[in-house]
Amino acid sequence: VADHQDCPLCRDLGGAVLFDDGRLRVVRVLPADDIDAARFPGFCRVIWNAHVKEMTDLAHGDRVHLMDVVFRVEAALRDTLNPVKINLASLGNMTPHVHWHVIPRYAADPAYPKPIWAVPAVPQLGTLQRDMSQENDMLAWSRAVTAALQR
Ligand SMILES: [Zn+2]
């Protein structure tokens, strides 16, 4: 129980929820939650709702379901954003609660070709630079991810 009380993914949603089926949720990472979000358009997380530390703590059917959702999010982001690469990452050193980062990468993004965590965060620069066309793009991919999961 002590784990849960200190866990950000038990305490908070971890972003704007695009999909939730009870077992897991898919969120759009918000600048307020993670400073990198504004610099990496399309950054989503697939978060197991229960506090579970490792993939091998999940039952087989739950693992299969989780990865199926990760791949559906990946496909929706590829279709709508056409990134150079998708990064799938599950680290959990800071937050030992099963979650996958799904991160579209672009040749012009601030860290490419390194992992997004390889560059220091720039305070809210991306937020200041955001304009209406980017807002519209964001809505398009967010809706595509939700639609892909409801099929
Ligand atoms: Zn947790």
Side-chain angles (χ1 to χ4, degrees), residues 2-139:
D3 279 352
H4 300 226
Q5 288 163 348
D6 292 334
C7 175
L9 294 180
C10 287
R11 196 177 55 230
D12 300 315
L13 293 171
V17 176
L18 302 176
F19 176 80
D20 188 328
D21 68 2
R23 280 194 282 176
L24 57 74
R25 62 188 183 271
V26 177
V27 303
R28 173 170 65 80
V29 179
L30 299 170
D33 298 328
D34 187 324
I35 211 157
D36 289 318
R39 302 194 296 161
F40 299 99
F43 187 176
C44 290
R45 291 192 185 111
V46 182
I47 302 165
W48 196 253
N49 282 340
H51 188 86
V52 170
K53 187 164 83 171
E54 306 288 2
M55 288 294 293
T56 46
D57 292 329
L58 294 172
H60 176 78
D62 288 341
R63 290 179 213 170
V64 170
H65 176 58
L66 174 56
M67 295 319 295
D68 178 57
V69 168
V70 168
F71 300 141
R72 286 210 238 176
V73 171
E74 174 184 304
L77 293 172
R78 289 182 76 187
D79 285 349
T80 49
L81 293 171
N82 193 32
V84 173
K85 185 73 183 74
I86 294 276
N87 290 171
L88 299 180
S90 181
L91 306 173
N93 302 331
M94 301 289 287
T95 306
H97 175 140
V98 165
H99 62 286
W100 284 82
H101 304 276
V102 185
I103 314 159
R105 301 301 306 275
Y106 311 90
D109 80 37
Y112 198 83
K114 294 177 181 165
I116 65 163
W117 298 282
V119 293
V122 176
Q124 300 301 327
L125 186 60
T127 305
L128 294 173
Q129 289 175 336
R130 193 184 298 159
D131 62 22
M132 282 312 291
S133 65
Q134 286 176 299
E135 288 293 324
N136 289 336
D137 289 347
M138 186 271 287
L139 289 174

